Amino acid sequence: MALDPQTLRQFLDTIQRFVREQLEPAEAMVAETDTVPPAIVDEMRRLGLFGMTIPEAQGGLGLGMSEEVQVLFELCQTSPAFRSVHGTNNGIGSQGIVIDGTAEQQRRYLPRLASGEIIASFALTEPGAGSDAASLRTSARRTAEGWVLNGTKRFITNAPEASLFTVMARTDPETRGAGGISAFLVEAPNPGLKLGRIDRKMGQRGAHTADVIFEDCRVPADALLGGKEGQGFKTAMKVLDRGRIHIAAVAVGVAERLIRDMLRYAKERVQFGQAIGEFQLVQAMLADSRAEAYAARCMVLDAARRRDAGENVSTEAACCKYFATEMVGRVADRAVQVHGGSGYIADFGVERFYRDVRLFRLYEGTSQIQQIVIARNMLRQAG
Ligand code: COS
């Protein structure tokens, strides 16, 4: 744990103010323009948000998982697109280097990721390899000078902004499945790296994804993450274990926001001569949302504490991601319902959250993949 409780409290208060005063007022504009204003990105840099999870020795805040999730509970009470700006630098884009990178790779990249000078992306998914990540076909061939990568990665978050990609590629074509996969740190621009057009998504405008296409993309020998072949899939899984707790915490933050909006509307809106919050059927929606968000928050805090204590949290991370992201989907649905017809009208913003949160049940492993991870681990542990 990097921060003493008082400093953490101050940091959380600062984040809360940042969200209320700067992010919330910009939500509609970000969705309309599909861009987070540079002034907000600069403020994120100033607050240290790009380097929350990067060790202090490399210029980050060095937050433990327990601290990180508390920050996310606050920081994510707004449009998820804001988190995406620094989300990959704290999560899937940097953690491969933090967990498995060589000392030289950590020295070279982490300080610049922590300051927000560069953006990192994580390139695992392919057109033919989504949930079945181990079937990926992007290849990396060894040459006298280094490696040559070929293949296409899909839905890569922050690809248009990134200048560093952690790319999972098959180095051993003879080994099908996980064992033949290695991870590479690929810098952009590179003449062999091209981007597809920015994807048009259901929601989360302001956060960008695109294809990343490697055509004889040459990288030096020391681009191999950790200097070891055949470890790429395991690195990806370790990164995702952490990422799944992170996304669960994001879901809790957004749920808290929606509950706040729902409650405010239930107190203001008068029908049949009284505020709709006085009606028990509306109260049921408020109560179910509060109970479920509280359950998810407790799960996330517990999984984070266990991870900080060095436990293997593969099962707990999957439980958190599964429960919290499904939970926020239900909360968003109720938020629309409590707002009635206004919930369907863009001006109120609730329908935007409804679309935004749908992604949480898909990326970093669908709900069905989380179920598989949980059940497999249960069966394995039972012998
Ligand atoms: N931590 C460390 N190692 C792990 C691990 C984890 N959490 N999970 C699996 N591994 C290791 C296994 O131990 C195994 O190693 P050995 O071959 O040495 O035994 C290797 O990785 C392969 O594991 P497994 O056989 O379980 O792989 P599968 O191909 O069956 O895939 C799932 C497992 C389905 C869980 C995996 O493909 C997955 O998570 N898919 C979803 C991918 C995803 O989240 N995509 C989202 C896009 S990224 S934003």
Side-chain angles (χ1 to χ4, degrees):
M1 183 171 283
L3 303 180
D4 62 76
Q6 201 192 344
T7 312
L8 177 63
R9 189 62 258 162
Q10 281 168 355
F11 188 52
L12 293 176
D13 289 345
T14 304
I15 297 297
Q16 201 177 60
R17 271 200 310 280
F18 177 53
V19 170
R20 297 282 168 96
E21 291 169 13
Q22 296 191 50
L23 303 189
E24 281 186 29
E27 287 169 357
M29 183 259 287
V30 166
E32 230 157 78
T33 59
D34 197 21
T35 306
V36 176
I40 286 183
V41 179
D42 282 346
E43 185 61 9
M44 288 172 173
R45 288 197 186 96
R46 204 186 60 75
L47 290 169
L49 297 185
F50 283 88
M52 287 190 286
T53 63
I54 293 174
E56 282 176 286
Q58 310 290 356
L61 298 182
L63 300 189
M65 193 89 230
S66 304
E67 297 167 319
E68 181 191 347
V69 298
Q70 290 181 70
V71 174
L72 292 169
F73 292 159
E74 296 298 335
L75 192 57
C76 297
Q77 297 191 23
T78 182
S79 295
F82 291 117
R83 182 216 62 105
S84 241
V85 172
H86 50 76
T88 49
N89 277 33
N90 283 302
I92 53 179
S94 69
Q95 291 304 305
I97 307 173
V98 172
I99 297 170
D100 282 337
T102 63
E104 172 50 25
Q105 288 167 341
Q106 293 177 349
R107 246 194 322 273
R108 193 181 316 154
Y109 297 117
L110 294 180
R112 285 190 286 153
L113 290 174
S115 66
E117 179 192 331
I118 59 169
I119 299 292
S121 276
F122 179 78
L124 174 65
T125 299
E126 298 184 358
S131 289
D132 183 9
S135 71
L136 63 83
R137 294 175 62 173
T138 294
S139 65
R141 185 170 44 84
R142 196 194 276 277
T143 64
E145 296 82 38
W147 300 87
V148 181
L149 275 67
N150 278 286
T152 297
K153 296 293 181 178
R154 180 139 294 173
F155 309 142
I156 304 307
T157 301
N158 281 343
E161 289 82 16
S163 35
L164 178 66
F165 293 85
T166 303
V167 183
M168 269 46 72
R170 194 167 295 285
T171 41
D172 180 359
E174 304 304 317
T175 309
R176 292 179 59 205
I181 297 171
S182 305
F184 292 88
L185 298 171
V186 180
E187 293 183 27
N190 179 314
L193 186 160
K194 295 187 181 63
L195 298 182
R197 72 173 168 89
I198 292 179
D199 297 318
R200 293 167 60 224
K201 308 190 300 312
M202 176 193 276
Q204 299 214 7
R205 279 172 60 81
H208 305 134
T209 65
D211 279 6
V212 182
I213 303 138
F214 301 95
E215 284 171 353
D216 288 333
C217 177
R218 292 175 191 281
V219 294
D222 63 1
L224 179 66
L225 182 69
K228 289 199 198 109
E229 273 184 66
Q231 295 299 310
F233 187 79
K234 286 185 189 171
T235 297
M237 290 298 116
K238 286 187 263 183
V239 167
L240 286 172
D241 277 347
R242 194 179 204 291
R244 287 166 183 169
I245 302 176
H246 175 106
I247 296 296
V250 173
V252 170
V254 179
E256 298 288 353
R257 161 61 181 277
L258 287 166
I259 291 169
R260 185 152 44 85
D261 286 358
M262 226 191 290
L263 189 57
R264 188 191 313 118
Y265 193 79
K267 290 179 70 134
E268 279 170 15
R269 173 74 174 163
V270 173
Q271 286 293 278
F272 303 103
Q274 57 183 355
I276 59 170
E278 298 299 321
F279 292 106
Q280 290 183 342
L281 292 178
V282 172
Q283 288 175 2
M285 288 192 271
L286 294 173
D288 286 354
S289 301
R290 167 53 59 230
E292 290 187 42
Y294 178 56
R297 175 185 279 261
C298 292
M299 287 172 80
V300 168
L301 286 169
D302 180 66
R305 187 182 48 76
R306 287 172 188 271
R307 191 182 185 282
D308 285 339
E311 287 182 38
N312 177 340
V313 292
S314 174
T315 304
E316 288 75 13
C319 287
C320 288
K321 163 84 166 51
Y322 177 41
F323 183 80
T325 61
E326 294 283 336
M327 175 280 293
V328 75
R330 291 190 292 272
V331 170
D333 188 63
R334 291 184 200 116
V336 172
Q337 198 67 16
V338 167
H339 281 78
S342 303
Y344 203 70
I345 302 297
D347 295 349
F348 286 79
V350 185
E351 62 81 34
R352 189 182 63 235
F353 275 104
Y354 179 81
R355 289 182 286 109
D356 285 350
V357 302
R358 190 62 183 83
L359 182 57
F360 296 149
R361 289 153 63 192
L362 302 171
Y363 67 2
E364 302 206 21
T366 61
S367 291
Q368 289 67 32
I369 286 295
Q370 310 311 324
Q371 289 174 297
I372 285 169
V373 170
I374 297 162
R376 269 197 195 176
N377 289 350
M378 288 168 69
L379 291 164
R380 202 172 290 140
Q381 275 157 19

